Amino acid sequence: MTSTSTVRTALEGAVSQLTRAGVPNPRVDAELLVGHVLDLNRGQVQSKAITDAVLAEADASRIAELVERRAAREPLQHITGRAPFRQLNLAVGPGVFVPRPETEQVVQFAIDALRAASVPEPVEGPVEGPIGVDLGTGSGAIALAMATEVPHARVYGVEVSPLAFVWTKQNFRESGATNATPIFTDLAVALPELNGTVSVVISNPPYIPRAAIPRDPEVRLFDPEIALYGGDDGLDVVRQVSATGLRLLHSGGTLVMEHGELQAAEIAALLRADGWLAVASHPDLLGRDRATTALRP
């Protein structure tokens, strides 16, 4: 006689397995995996567990399979195929960097600057909204957050990786944001037609030094190298972002850059040497310097 599977037993088994595997936040991930299979949100999963709802055999097998993958440290977002980011629900998978919660705070600087941007009236024709550019957009998380939360702006997301750009295009299409445009090109030469007209440039560039090895298996084994490593000192792409930002932004335009928590001073010095004004670093919710802003002279 076989015992009947329930949501509670599947959930507790998943939490136990993920805990043993060293997965951060094992209960959250277990609830999300069970919810993914059953098409339920976390609250509904918790309710089903409390009432000891019966679980179909096929669903129990599917949950066990997904928990096994997560225990092997495959990113949760690769398993579910989705990543929440602010108001968005993005498609992600192999080949694209999975957006992180801390970037939700960084993009707020760009959104605020875009909302506050004053746009000179054209000599002829209607007044157009401000322009935002996300350099190295990946999944499109930053660009689409800007476009959907500042709908009067025009936003461009620039990506050079063919593997990542598949996800870029899908998310731009799914978002329905008609003011957002994906651009497949190297950020160093992107959008010359916009030189001197952009209000906000933002980037979460690859900034890990080549010799550094990320601690988390989810990052080390699954995130694409092109989105992680920024040359010997980690700042190769940061230098390109600085140069492209100076080219694209109009005077007084805002640069926003995410970076490693120990890189703020080095990046500030780099930007000041390039001529940027009002260079400032900003801590995340844990007090780590994770973003730098500057103004174009």
Side-chain angles (χ1 to χ4, degrees):
M1 181 176 177
T2 58
S3 59
T4 302
S5 295
T6 68
V7 173
R8 180 181 60 81
T9 57
L11 183 60
E12 293 305 323
V15 172
S16 177
Q17 185 174 353
L18 297 181
T19 300
R20 290 195 304 272
V23 172
N25 306 309
R27 181 162 294 276
V28 173
D29 281 19
E31 290 172 350
L32 290 170
L33 288 171
V34 172
H36 177 66
V37 172
L38 301 181
D39 196 22
L40 302 173
N41 61 39
R42 284 182 61 203
Q44 291 170 323
V45 169
Q46 293 163 1
S47 177
K48 295 279 188 183
I50 290 170
T51 58
D52 223 15
V54 174
L55 192 60
E57 187 176 337
D59 289 336
S61 296
R62 180 67 174 149
I63 290 169
E65 175 191 336
L66 299 190
V67 170
E68 193 74 34
R69 289 170 61 186
R70 185 67 187 104
R73 304 304 290 270
E74 183 176 350
L76 175 73
Q77 298 89 344
H78 282 199
I79 297 169
T80 64
R82 311 299 300 189
F85 187 83
R86 292 179 70 95
Q87 301 170 15
L88 303 164
N89 184 25
L90 301 165
V92 296
V96 72
F97 184 78
V98 174
R100 306 302 202 257
E102 53 265 30
T103 304
E104 296 189 18
Q105 183 183 356
V106 176
V107 75
Q108 188 66 52
F109 294 111
I111 288 170
D112 291 344
L114 206 52
R115 285 175 175 158
S118 58
V119 182
E121 292 191 19
V123 177
E124 297 179 358
V127 176
E128 294 190 351
I131 300 172
V133 174
D134 174 21
L135 298 175
T137 196
S139 67
I142 289 174
L144 291 173
M146 293 165 65
T148 54
E149 296 184 46
V150 193
H152 67 282
R154 283 188 292 146
V155 178
Y156 297 86
V158 176
E159 179 55 55
V160 73
S161 163
L163 295 176
F165 198 64
V166 172
W167 301 101
T168 308
K169 289 188 294 182
Q170 179 176 342
N171 286 316
F172 273 65
R173 186 170 60 249
E174 286 184 4
S175 75
T178 57
N179 60 329
T181 304
I183 304 291
F184 182 67
T185 191
D186 190 318
L187 64 84
V189 297
L191 301 166
E193 68 277 13
L194 297 182
N195 286 352
T197 68
V198 175
S199 295
V200 178
V201 168
I202 183 171
S203 183
N204 180 14
Y207 51 72
I208 299 175
R210 194 187 313 277
I213 300 174
R215 292 186 301 269
D216 296 337
E218 290 86 346
V219 177
R220 186 174 65 250
L221 301 177
F222 293 95
D223 275 329
E225 290 190 4
I226 192 174
L228 297 178
Y229 300 103
D232 290 342
D233 64 356
L235 301 180
D236 283 1
V237 184
V238 170
R239 295 183 182 93
Q240 293 178 357
V241 168
S242 175
T244 299
L246 287 169
R247 172 171 60 79
L248 290 176
L249 290 167
H250 58 65
S251 179
T254 300
L255 174 72
V256 181
M257 202 175 331
E258 185 170 340
H259 50 72
E261 59 190 277
L262 302 179
Q263 293 175 312
E266 198 171 2
I267 287 175
L270 185 159
L271 293 177
R272 290 191 182 101
D274 281 353
W276 293 91
L277 304 177
V279 178
S281 62
H282 305 274
D284 63 14
L285 296 177
L286 296 177
R288 305 170 300 185
D289 287 326
R290 291 303 299 266
T292 293
T293 57
L295 298 180
R296 189 195 183 285

